[in-house]
Amino acid sequence: MLELYHNDMSTCAQKVRLTLAEKGLEWKSHHLNLRAGETRTDSYKKLNPKGVVPTLIDDGTVIIESTVIIEYLDDAYPEPPVKPGNLKSRAQMRLWTKQLDEGLHTDIGTISGAVAFRYQTIEGRTPEELAAHMAKIPDPVRRERSTDTNTHGIESKFFAPAIRNYDKLLSQLETALTEGPWLAGDTYSLADIAYTPYLTRFEHLMFMGMLDERPRLADWYKRIKARPNYQIAIGDWLNKKYLPLMAGKGAEAWPRVKEILAAG
Ligand SMILES: N[C@@H](CCC(=O)N[C@@H](CS)C(=O)NCC(=O)O)C(=O)O
């Protein structure tokens, strides 16, 4: 039996649910509330020392890190495959997922936190409670970044560089899609799965203006959303409380995003 510790709106968890849905696998859900700090408890950190979702358990074996989890799922449950058969395309797929793991995932955390999620994190906590909540983040670099975005919002020193990194990434995705319909070779793969939640996050934050000059990427996202696994893994899990906050605060932040992009 597969079990997944996850969160409805988490990008990394969405990647794993997309893979599970693509393969038609059954799994047991353990939903954790991130704003309440449910990943930061000592008992959860025994499963996932970084105190983050997702964590997969397959027949008693604990597997962490979303990219590792989705590769594992494809190895352990090969049908239908979501790694390209062609090894050069497979290497390309891994370059895409590596890029996310090496920084772009952190950037989306910065962007989402600075624009919208900080309001949920701050709400109902005294300054002391907020400090205690942040102190439970095991990684000091992540803790500093998160504290800064909670405190300064879109004026955080981390916000503009994160937006610029995403702008570069979207250009790279647009260029890659001149080669074919999917990001790594001729077939839908873990690269497409891995990037889907990041486009969805931009959609929820009302930042889709960043796709105005990127027609191939806009078309890719339309095709991605029409796939059955999108509805099962993302659509059915959307948190109705988050969406208005993300849309409202995102629309307020959009002029600042445009300013950052115009400044280059
Ligand atoms: N590298 C990790 C990153 C996981 C991660 O950042 N998870 C976020 C949600 S997308 C989380 O659980 N945050 C909870 C917290 O920081 O308290 C992976 O790919 O699994």
Side-chain angles (χ1 to χ4, degrees), residues 29-49:
S29 164
H30 299 278
H31 186 266
L32 301 182
N33 180 335
L34 304 189
R35 277 345 139 241
E38 287 180 1
T39 59
R40 299 183 189 176
T41 62
D42 291 341
S43 64
Y44 182 69
K45 283 182 198 162
K46 283 186 189 134
L47 288 179
N48 189 318

Side-chain angles (χ1 to χ4, degrees), residues 2 23 25 56 58 63 69-79 83:
L2 289 165
K23 291 177 173 292
L25 292 166
L56 181 80
D58 189 2
I63 302 164
I69 295 173
I70 60 178
E71 288 243 16
Y72 168 79
L73 285 172
D74 195 50
D75 291 337
Y77 303 93
E79 290 304 324
K83 283 204 292 286

Side-chain angles (χ1 to χ4, degrees), residues 10-12 34 39-40 51-54 65-67 101 105 142:
S10 143
T11 48
C12 297
L34 304 189
T39 59
R40 299 183 189 176
V52 292
V53 287
E65 287 296 325
S66 57
T67 300
D101 291 340
H105 171 69
R142 187 177 175 121

Side-chain angles (χ1 to χ4, degrees), residues 18 22 81-85 88-90 92-94 96 172-196 199 215-230:
L18 282 166
E22 186 67 15
V82 277
K83 283 204 292 286
K88 294 190 176 75
S89 302
R90 197 176 289 192
Q92 181 58 56
M93 176 198 88
R94 291 201 171 110
W96 282 120
Q172 287 172 11
L173 293 172
E174 178 71 10
T175 304
L177 292 166
T178 59
E179 307 277 318
W182 304 111
L183 292 178
D186 298 336
T187 54
Y188 177 77
S189 77
L190 291 177
D192 301 289
I193 285 181
Y195 281 85
T196 296
L199 268 288
R216 289 182 189 84
L217 187 55
D219 178 67
W220 172 87
Y221 187 53
K222 209 168 126 198
R223 285 183 284 116
I224 285 281
K225 286 186 75 177
R227 296 179 67 85
N229 69 342
Y230 187 91

Side-chain angles (χ1 to χ4, degrees), residues 36-247:
E38 287 180 1
T39 59
R40 299 183 189 176
T41 62
D42 291 341
S43 64
Y44 182 69
K45 283 182 198 162
K46 283 186 189 134
L47 288 179
N48 189 318
K50 289 186 182 164
V52 292
V53 287
T55 300
L56 181 80
I57 304 195
D58 189 2
D59 208 12
T61 300
V62 179
I63 302 164
I64 60 168
E65 287 296 325
S66 57
T67 300
V68 176
I69 295 173
I70 60 178
E71 288 243 16
Y72 168 79
L73 285 172
D74 195 50
D75 291 337
Y77 303 93
E79 290 304 324
V82 277
K83 283 204 292 286
N86 175 303
L87 295 185
K88 294 190 176 75
S89 302
R90 197 176 289 192
Q92 181 58 56
M93 176 198 88
R94 291 201 171 110
L95 275 179
W96 282 120
T97 56
K98 189 169 190 283
Q99 231 190 135
L100 272 183
D101 291 340
E102 282 179 346
L104 283 160
H105 171 69
T106 305
D107 289 331
I108 206 72
T110 297
I111 294 169
S112 313
V115 172
F117 295 159
R118 65 191 282 257
Y119 296 97
Q120 298 170 325
T121 304
I122 293 168
E123 196 190 333
R125 288 193 169 100
T126 63
E128 293 73 26
E129 285 165 346
L130 185 59
H133 180 62
M134 301 314 286
K136 286 187 199 145
I137 301 178
D139 173 8
V141 175
R142 187 177 175 121
R143 195 185 315 133
E144 191 215 331
R145 203 175 248 265
S146 198
T147 303
D148 200 78
T149 48
N150 278 330
T151 312
H152 301 292
I154 59 174
E155 297 312 323
S156 159
K157 62 183 177 203
F158 297 110
F159 184 69
I163 288 289
R164 283 193 287 268
N165 283 344
Y166 260 84
D167 189 45
K168 258 187 242 148
L169 165 75
L170 299 182
S171 293
Q172 287 172 11
L173 293 172
E174 178 71 10
T175 304
L177 292 166
T178 59
E179 307 277 318
W182 304 111
L183 292 178
D186 298 336
T187 54
Y188 177 77
S189 77
L190 291 177
D192 301 289
I193 285 181
Y195 281 85
T196 296
Y198 297 85
L199 268 288
T200 293
R201 179 59 56 83
F202 270 25
E203 184 181 2
H204 292 162
L205 291 173
M206 310 292 270
F207 288 178
M208 291 307 259
M210 287 177 81
L211 262 57
D212 281 352
E213 313 283 314
R214 292 163 171 140
R216 289 182 189 84
L217 187 55
D219 178 67
W220 172 87
Y221 187 53
K222 209 168 126 198
R223 285 183 284 116
I224 285 281
K225 286 186 75 177
R227 296 179 67 85
N229 69 342
Y230 187 91
Q231 185 54 36
I232 298 167
I234 297 186
D236 291 350
W237 284 95
L238 291 179
N239 186 322
K240 306 274 180 311
K241 278 196 199 143
Y242 281 36
L243 295 177
L245 174 81
M246 294 168 86

